[in-house]
Amino acid sequence: MGFSGHRPYYAKKDNDRRELIFFLLLFAVILTKFYFLELEVSSHATRNPASVASSAGIVLCLTVAVSLFWRKVRAFSALTVDFLISLLAVTDLLHLRYYSDMFTFMNIGLSAQVGEIADSVTALIHPFDFLYFADIPLFIFFIYISRKFRSVPFFKKIGAIRFFASLLLIVVGVIPVVYRFWSYEKKVPGVLSSMWDRTAVCNNIGALTYHLADAKNAAGHTFFKEKISDVQISEVKNFFKEKKSGRAPDHLQGFAKGKNLIVIQVESLQQFIVDLRINGTEVTPNLNRFVRGSAYFSGIYSQTASGNSSDAEFIVNTGLYPSASGVAYTRFAGNRYEALPKVLEDKGYVSLALHGDRPGFWNRHRMYPSMGFSRFISKKDFVVDENIGMGLSDASFFRQSISILDNTQKPFYAFLITLTSHYPYNFDGIFKETELNTSPFEGTLMGNYLTSMKYFDDKFGSFIEGLRKNGLLDSSVIALYGDHTAIPAWDRSSLEKLLGRNLKNDWEWKYLQRIPLAIKIPGHQALQEEIKGPAGLIDLPDTFAYLMDFEFRTGFGTNLFENDRSEPVIFRNGSFITGNVLVEPLSRSAREMPEGKVLDYEKYAPMAEEVKKRLSYNDLILEHDLVPFLVRED
Ligand code: GP9
Ligand code: MN
């Protein structure tokens, strides 16, 4: 009697072990790949235990799930999963090298930009990167050898015990993932939906958990989109068709036609800084001088939402409001816009954006081409001869920008975004170069902020001098504004102390949340006056269109030079300012600013409806990529 027909006990045991070894190896190999990837994201990757557990949880769920597949396709499925996930890791590597950013499913479909990286793959890929796929032939060899020398199949049928044990393992894997999502969101609310810095997210929660969060966002936005009817599209279209522009001084209409446009977005520049003195010293003498030589708008309120700097950029360039949820720059980079750079390029301008941070921060490398910028000069392109805080110092940024602008074809639209005066305002390099007696605020957030502003001002002064020397000062419209507020609510008391004002109430606080806006019109001296009416950055594109004589068809704003402006300043949460009244429809409140006198809400209810309607149009435009329909002639 031979052994045929009977599977010997030791062979069965052996077989169990081989399959177990296969999946254990697969688990370990995938985790190792992402371990090395995370080292490329940051050489001092955080490796918080909760993040490591979450990565392990994801790989556990994947390997266990694939180990339940039908025996005959199990090997193929496992190796396909391994291949795809290795491809994801290598795609990340290439994105990191090209854009200093992680790959995101949100940007799939931005074909022009995918092409950009595809063209450079050979230059970006390193021989060692192929190691990410090296396990696959080894696994195939392992299975082949085992099959050759054993009579029993490598992969087994799934019995009940194994099935339930696997389900249990999947539950065990899911727990740390859910925990990491929850704990990170708790620490940094909104971070996983806004994804403002994907590499930072990756460094905090691990590359795999980042990808899971990113895939969840992409799926949410793709599959849970409400349908839009033709009637709705025509309604939005009519809104823009019927948008009336009020009367504005004739002598300014088209006054700056053909001039260059230089827009400077200053990080965290809040309005109270203008003309501020501390211990007898002017904090921003250069800015103050610039303001005196410009049309100065002192009633501009920040309209940004969770996109901070990127929302300010978005508002100024597109004339649209920020996204109702998530961030426009990361959610809607695939949309088509009639934004300032595109409109000006169509008029023969060259448009360029300059910023001293990594190109992937806030998804700028994707969003700028979508808005029509033909060049983006980022930290990758500047000579990084001085780094302060998040990136290139403002000193170096402004210095290099002068010669870049000098060498740029005219006319141009240059959009400059400063960086050094970023929260928490205490980067070393600032203090080395800047002297300001901030007593009694030394060493506090307020003291550091004032020093940061002085630092910015010194460098801005040199920039203006540089423009004067190369003749650009007299041939360019220069607009400067603060992107958003600087002093958080928890530090109200410092602002009260600095300004000697009581800011206890919300409307007083809101009144202080203004950001300055100054527009210098070359050759026009008559405008050196303060314009106090309430307005927002959203009004900038229409204002440039008026001054420089072009058409801007899809913005919600209106020309800031209009006489008797009565447009409400709309905030993303539906509240608005009209005249000196702050209206908050959610709490049905209307108060006079800054004193807080209670007014009859009902008087403002119709305007609240109008505001709601405009914000809903904005959402439709973003969600359904409507801009091309709005400008199409029927
Ligand atoms: C970084 C900077 C970020 O590029 O623009 O500013 P934030 O959005 O954090 O204010
Ligand atoms: Mn900012």
Side-chain angles (χ1 to χ4, degrees), residues 269-341:
L269 171 62
Q270 210 169 320
Q271 198 270 341
F272 69 86
I273 287 293
V274 177
D275 283 333
L276 180 74
R277 283 178 175 268
I278 185 152
N279 300 310
T281 309
E282 229 180 328
V283 178
T284 53
N286 295 303
L287 173 68
N288 301 344
R289 200 170 314 123
F290 180 80
V291 160
R292 281 194 293 275
S294 306
Y296 173 45
F297 301 88
S298 61
I300 303 289
Y301 288 86
S302 162
Q303 293 164 304
T304 57
S306 43
N308 300 342
S309 295
S310 75
D311 275 352
E313 296 181 13
F314 182 71
I315 294 168
V316 166
N317 282 290
T318 64
L320 301 174
Y321 295 104
S323 175
S325 68
V327 171
Y329 261 38
T330 52
R331 279 192 66 187
F332 301 111
N335 282 15
R336 294 153 296 172
Y337 298 97
E338 281 278 306
L340 271 183

Side-chain angles (χ1 to χ4, degrees), residues 265-268 307-310 362 364 418 422 483-485:
Q265 174 169 308
V266 183
E267 180 57 46
S268 307
N308 300 342
S309 295
S310 75
W362 277 133
R364 285 183 173 106
T418 74
H422 195 278
D483 59 351
H484 47 69
T485 59

Side-chain angles (χ1 to χ4, degrees), residues 259-533:
K259 301 282 184 203
N260 304 309
L261 174 63
I262 302 177
V263 175
I264 307 167
Q265 174 169 308
V266 183
E267 180 57 46
S268 307
L269 171 62
Q270 210 169 320
Q271 198 270 341
F272 69 86
I273 287 293
V274 177
D275 283 333
L276 180 74
R277 283 178 175 268
I278 185 152
N279 300 310
T281 309
E282 229 180 328
V283 178
T284 53
N286 295 303
L287 173 68
N288 301 344
R289 200 170 314 123
F290 180 80
V291 160
R292 281 194 293 275
S294 306
Y296 173 45
F297 301 88
S298 61
I300 303 289
Y301 288 86
S302 162
Q303 293 164 304
T304 57
S306 43
N308 300 342
S309 295
S310 75
D311 275 352
E313 296 181 13
F314 182 71
I315 294 168
V316 166
N317 282 290
T318 64
L320 301 174
Y321 295 104
S323 175
S325 68
V327 171
Y329 261 38
T330 52
R331 279 192 66 187
F332 301 111
N335 282 15
R336 294 153 296 172
Y337 298 97
E338 281 278 306
L340 271 183
K342 174 171 182 298
V343 173
L344 285 170
E345 290 248 345
D346 289 348
K347 288 246 151 207
Y349 278 62
V350 168
S351 65
L352 64 165
L354 303 99
H355 184 49
D357 201 349
R358 287 176 288 109
F361 201 104
W362 277 133
N363 211 26
R364 285 183 173 106
H365 58 320
R366 306 295 197 189
M367 194 60 191
Y368 285 162
S370 297
M371 295 196 297
F373 280 108
S374 55
R375 284 173 72 195
F376 173 23
I377 297 139
S378 75
K379 190 176 179 181
K380 263 185 72 183
D381 314 290
F382 283 108
V383 179
V384 186
D385 46 8
E386 187 188 35
N387 203 86
I388 298 186
M390 298 171 77
L392 186 66
S393 70
D394 283 358
S396 180
F397 170 71
F398 275 133
R399 192 173 52 242
Q400 294 183 59
S401 296
I402 291 168
S403 54
I404 293 169
L405 297 188
D406 202 15
N407 292 317
T408 298
Q409 188 193 313
K410 318 289 179 305
F412 62 71
Y413 162 37
F415 183 53
L416 282 77
I417 304 117
T418 74
L419 185 58
T420 306
S421 51
H422 195 278
Y423 187 87
Y425 320 119
N426 60 357
F427 307 120
D428 274 350
I430 296 174
F431 297 91
K432 267 192 238 136
E433 288 189 38
T434 320
E435 287 223 355
L436 184 69
N437 174 4
T438 59
S439 170
F441 298 102
E442 291 121 323
T444 66
L445 183 89
M446 179 58 84
N448 295 341
Y449 176 60
L450 297 178
T451 311
S452 270
M453 284 294 116
K454 173 104 183 71
Y455 170 90
F456 154 74
D457 188 72
D458 288 348
K459 312 311 166 199
F460 172 64
S462 314
F463 179 67
I464 292 293
E465 270 323 296
L467 294 184
R468 194 187 308 281
K469 277 195 194 125
N470 64 21
L472 288 174
L473 197 62
D474 295 328
S475 54
S476 313
V477 171
I478 305 177
L480 175 144
Y481 62 85
D483 59 351
H484 47 69
T485 59
I487 304 301
W490 61 259
D491 205 23
R492 262 182 209 217
S493 57
S494 298
L495 204 50
E496 290 186 324
K497 196 161 142 188
L498 179 78
L499 304 179
R501 294 179 57 151
N502 177 337
L503 303 173
K504 293 280 175 299
N505 296 313
D506 286 349
W507 45 95
E508 285 164 333
W509 179 248
K510 188 81 187 174
Y511 185 64
L512 252 283
Q513 302 301 293
R514 285 163 297 144
I515 48 181
L517 165 66
I519 305 177
K520 188 176 180 322
I521 307 163
H524 203 283
Q525 298 302 311
L527 268 175
Q528 297 159 9
E529 61 196 31
E530 184 174 334
I531 299 166
K532 293 187 175 148

